[in-house]
């Protein structure tokens, strides 16, 4: 049976505007195997997982489990848990870090405040390298294991980056998929060479737009609009552009993109369906996922 990633490649499905939407990411280290619904079907306390999911719903904070690359023995013994809280908004992108003996301590974190960019003093500032998170959860989709785990292994000792496996960042059919923090840009169909280039860019405050799915900070029309403005202007500074929430109703959306220097663009984004249909995940019935395409980038007078 053809995999979802193979079908997507053969159809030359665009990567643009396919990133998961999250202003803030909460990454919780949980060693051992993961289930399809990692927060409630792995070694994390399922009751805690359900509670965290419920508390984060609608807040702009997305929760995922992470683990170090490598073999993952089925150990149930106690372990300390690295936790990262990362906000991705331009001009206020940050990562906070803590090590917890018991992840139940996460109940003290306020996902709504974190989604707004307020960490409330939780944890300590992360002064390490950018976080590179490779989706590897084969229980969710086999492409993430078949393609993601070898990539994570190749990157395990990448200079200048903190590499983790992650449970789910959306878009199995674009495997191997990678999320890079603090800026929150996601990438698909990458190899180790490309990720090294992305990391070099992040360390310099730049965005590498090749194979970029979008910045998770924005809604999907905003992701399409921001990348379209970057393509038009050549702007590669990560925090130079912001995208306003999309206006209008499908299929015709409008996004206002602002530059830090005062320039503005009105971007017309068309929402359509991907044809022909294709499986969005291995084993799923063929579907026609939404596609967002920037059709026109119109400069406006500076604000």
């Amino acid at each position: 049976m053809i995999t979802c990633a193979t079908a997507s490649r053969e159809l030359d499905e665009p990567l643009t505007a396919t990133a998961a939407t999250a202003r803030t990411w909460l990454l919780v280290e949980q060693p051992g195997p993961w289930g399809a619904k990692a927060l409630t079907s792995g070694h994390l306390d399922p009751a805690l997982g359900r509670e965290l999911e419920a508390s984060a719903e609608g807040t702009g904070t997305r929760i995922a489990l992470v683990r170090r690359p490598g073999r993952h023995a089925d150990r149930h013994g106690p372990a300390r848990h690295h936790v990262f809280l990362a906000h991705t908004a331009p001009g206020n992108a940050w990562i906070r870090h803590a090590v917890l003996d018991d992840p139940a301590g996460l109940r003290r974190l306020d996902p709504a405040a974190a989604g707004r960019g307020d960490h409330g003093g939780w944890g300590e500032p992360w002064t390490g390298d950018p976080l590179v998170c490779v989706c590897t959860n084969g229980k969710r989709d086999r492409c993430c294991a078949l393609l993601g785990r070898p990539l994570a292994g190749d990157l395990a000792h990448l200079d200048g980056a903190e590499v983790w496996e992650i449970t789910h960042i959306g878009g199995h059919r674009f495997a191997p998929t990678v999320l890079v923090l603090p800026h929150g840009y996601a990438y698909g169909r990458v190899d180790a060479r490309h990720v090294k280039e992305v990391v070099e860019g992040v360390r310099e405050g730049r965005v590498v737009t090749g194979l970029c799915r979008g910045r998770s900070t924005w809604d999907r029309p905003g992701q399409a609009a921001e990348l379209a403005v970057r393509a038009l202007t050549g702007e590669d500074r990560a925090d130079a552009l912001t995208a306003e929430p999309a206006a209008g109703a499908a299929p015709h959306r409008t996004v206002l993109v602002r530059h830090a220097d005062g320039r503005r663009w009105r971007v017309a984004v068309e929402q359509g369906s991907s044809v022909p249909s294709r499986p969005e995940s291995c084993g799923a019935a063929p579907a026609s996922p939404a596609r967002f395409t920037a059709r026109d980038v119109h400069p406006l007078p500076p604000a």
Side-chain angles (χ1 to χ4, degrees), residues 133-135 144 169-172 174-179 187-190 213:
C133 303
V134 184
C135 188
C144 296
I169 56 174
H172 319 292
F174 304 118
T177 59
V178 170
L179 172 72
Y187 294 84
R189 303 182 188 136
V190 292
R213 299 175 58 198

Side-chain angles (χ1 to χ4, degrees), residues 13-21 173-174 212-214 218-228 245-255 267-275 278 280 288-296:
E13 185 175 3
L15 293 165
T16 300
T18 63
T21 56
R173 64 193 186 279
F174 304 118
C212 186
R213 299 175 58 198
W218 319 126
D219 58 22
R220 292 183 60 191
Q223 294 172 19
E226 185 216 5
L227 290 176
H252 302 296
R253 314 295 296 277
T254 302
V255 178
V267 184
V269 178
E270 182 179 65
Q271 180 177 338
S273 299
S274 299
V275 291
R278 78 288 315 276
E280 293 185 73
S288 298
R291 178 178 295 182
F292 296 85
T293 305
R295 296 298 187 191
D296 180 65

Side-chain angles (χ1 to χ4, degrees), residues 23-287:
R23 293 187 299 275
T24 301
W25 292 82
L26 175 61
L27 309 180
V28 183
E29 182 182 15
Q30 182 56 62
W34 296 326
K37 296 185 179 296
L39 285 179
T40 56
S41 57
H43 288 172
L44 186 72
D45 176 7
L48 175 62
R50 286 190 291 271
E51 185 177 336
L52 292 175
E53 279 187 320
S55 67
E57 186 174 358
T59 65
T61 295
R62 183 173 175 129
I63 306 173
L65 301 185
V66 295
R67 64 191 178 195
R68 299 287 189 180
R71 300 187 64 180
H72 306 291
D74 196 353
R75 296 173 182 162
H76 292 268
R80 305 190 78 196
H81 303 260
H82 287 270
V83 181
F84 298 94
L85 183 67
H87 188 63
T88 65
N92 189 34
W94 45 258
I95 300 176
R96 307 282 291 190
H97 172 249
V99 181
L100 304 180
D101 291 323
D102 184 349
L106 291 170
R107 291 188 171 102
R108 294 191 291 272
L109 191 146
D110 183 350
R116 296 191 298 269
D118 177 10
H119 53 69
W122 184 91
E124 298 293 335
W126 172 250
T127 57
D129 293 318
L131 303 184
V132 174
C133 303
V134 184
C135 188
T136 63
N137 190 0
K139 294 292 186 182
R140 187 75 179 247
D141 188 278
R142 63 175 178 157
C143 286
C144 296
L146 292 173
L147 301 174
R149 292 202 64 191
L151 176 63
D154 289 344
L155 297 174
H157 302 293
L158 176 63
D159 290 337
E162 180 85 5
V163 180
W164 293 83
E165 297 184 14
I166 191 169
T167 49
H168 184 51
I169 56 174
H172 319 292
R173 64 193 186 279
F174 304 118
T177 59
V178 170
L179 172 72
V180 183
L181 296 166
H183 299 132
Y185 284 96
Y187 294 84
R189 303 182 188 136
V190 292
D191 57 22
R193 178 200 58 78
H194 189 82
V195 175
K196 291 176 184 178
E197 182 183 351
V198 169
V199 169
E200 289 173 3
V202 173
R203 293 175 64 83
E204 297 170 359
R206 297 186 295 105
V207 180
V208 172
T209 56
L211 302 180
C212 186
R213 299 175 58 198
R215 188 169 188 159
S216 73
T217 321
W218 319 126
D219 58 22
R220 292 183 60 191
Q223 294 172 19
E226 185 216 5
L227 290 176
V229 171
R230 290 192 182 279
L232 177 69
T233 63
E235 178 60 72
D236 67 353
R237 288 171 293 172
D239 285 348
L241 300 179
T242 58
E244 300 291 331
H252 302 296
R253 314 295 296 277
T254 302
V255 178
L256 180 65
V257 177
R258 300 178 183 271
H259 195 288
D261 65 10
R263 285 180 289 167
R264 302 183 300 160
W265 298 264
R266 183 175 63 243
V267 184
V269 178
E270 182 179 65
Q271 180 177 338
S273 299
S274 299
V275 291
S277 59
R278 78 288 315 276
E280 293 185 73
S281 186
C282 288

